[in-house]
Amino acid sequence: MSGKNTLSTDRRAAMHTLDLVDKLFLQQIVLEPTRDNKNILDVVFTNNDRFIHDVTVTKTLLSDHDLVSCTLRVRETPSLHTTAPPESLYMPKHPIDSLNLNKANWEMINEDLQRIDWSQVTSCPTQNEAFEKLQ
């Protein structure tokens, strides 16, 4: 395979990954370089950063990539006598349920919403057509 084809394939794979991350409302939590103190090549995605206690990146002699470790926040499962699980064990049914809206950039969101021609969106005959206008 030529270098050009490899680059094209790598770019498509990267774009597919970014699209999936966006659709599933995931966030990448490794914030420091994981290879040669230059690049973040080893990543960890989550849809709920409240369960992440700590992320560490440690040099290792076993690889040219650093070791990435995550410490999770977990609680003991409720007893069988509990009628409802504690709030900390809540598992969202849909990715949007796990969004942390306190971290949202509301100024940017409002600017994006103001740029939309809402008359075009609301005049669409179907939900699918309206959704397509918003993309």
Side-chain angles (χ1 to χ4, degrees):
M1 190 178 334
S2 74
K4 187 175 183 181
N5 288 340
T6 302
L7 181 61
S8 175
T9 301
D10 288 349
R11 182 167 174 75
R12 277 196 306 270
M15 296 307 290
H16 178 70
T17 300
L18 290 173
D19 185 49
L20 184 64
V21 165
D22 188 49
K23 284 181 179 175
L24 296 176
F25 300 105
L26 299 175
Q27 67 183 96
Q28 200 283 116
I29 59 172
V30 178
L31 303 177
E32 59 186 279
T34 61
R35 184 164 187 265
D36 297 331
N37 289 323
K38 293 186 232 172
N39 301 314
I40 300 176
L41 296 180
D42 305 279
V43 295
V44 176
F45 294 104
T46 182
N47 67 347
N48 191 338
D49 65 350
R50 290 181 297 160
F51 292 116
I52 307 296
H53 174 69
D54 188 37
V55 178
T56 58
V57 176
T58 309
K59 299 260 180 250
T60 178
L61 297 175
L62 302 175
S63 172
D64 60 337
H65 292 254
D66 297 339
L67 176 66
V68 177
S69 302
C70 294
T71 306
L72 304 178
R73 289 185 182 148
V74 294
R75 294 204 177 176
E76 189 176 317
T77 56
S79 73
L80 296 175
H81 304 292
T82 305
T83 56
E87 184 179 326
S88 63
L89 296 178
Y90 169 74
M91 296 303 290
K93 292 183 174 124
H94 188 276
I96 200 165
D97 295 336
S98 64
L99 288 178
N100 183 347
L101 298 178
N102 293 324
K103 290 186 174 183
N105 182 339
W106 290 106
E107 187 175 319
M108 184 181 290
I109 291 170
N110 284 325
E111 288 173 8
D112 287 346
L113 289 172
Q114 288 174 359
R115 283 194 284 272
I116 296 172
D117 183 351
W118 290 102
S119 63
Q120 283 188 0
V121 175
T122 57
S123 66
C124 291
T126 67
Q127 288 178 327
N128 289 340
E129 289 178 56
F131 183 71
E132 286 176 18
K133 292 244 186 238
L134 291 172
Q135 292 188 7

